[in-house]
Amino acid sequence: MGGVWQFGDWACQFHAFCGSIFGYGQIATLIFISYDRYNVVVNGVAARPLSYGKVMVFLLFIWAFASFWAIGPLVGYGSYALDGILAS
């Protein structure tokens, strides 16, 4: 909000990492929920039901995807940037 980040570089990187991993995880989760709803609406009763195994594969993919993109700036590939409203 216009001031200096007072918690140091490590806390700044951790804050940005958490924002990245949970943001990517949220987006990927919404994609898979949308896919499931699309499948049910288009195919109706004939749609293959969502099984426990399929959900676990989706969750594994979501966390792997989010981790891959969020860890990059921590290891020197790219960087974290300000959010859209320039608050953090």
Side-chain angles (χ1 to χ4, degrees):
M1 301 301 286
V4 177
W5 179 262
Q6 60 185 350
F7 302 111
D9 186 54
W10 183 87
C12 182
Q13 292 293 317
F14 181 72
H15 176 73
F17 171 77
C18 287
S20 293
I21 196 163
F22 293 127
Y24 291 135
Q26 176 185 5
I27 291 168
T29 301
L30 290 173
I31 289 170
F32 281 108
I33 290 172
S34 299
Y35 164 75
D36 179 56
R37 296 295 85 205
Y38 168 80
N39 186 34
V40 170
V41 168
V42 169
N43 298 321
V45 180
R48 290 180 48 192
L50 195 59
S51 66
Y52 178 78
K54 192 183 234 184
V55 169
M56 294 310 293
V57 168
F58 284 170
L59 287 174
L60 181 67
F61 178 81
I62 288 168
W63 283 106
F65 170 82
S67 298
F68 175 77
W69 289 108
I71 289 174
L74 286 179
V75 296
Y77 183 77
S79 64
Y80 299 116
L82 290 172
D83 61 1
I85 60 172
L86 305 177
S88 61

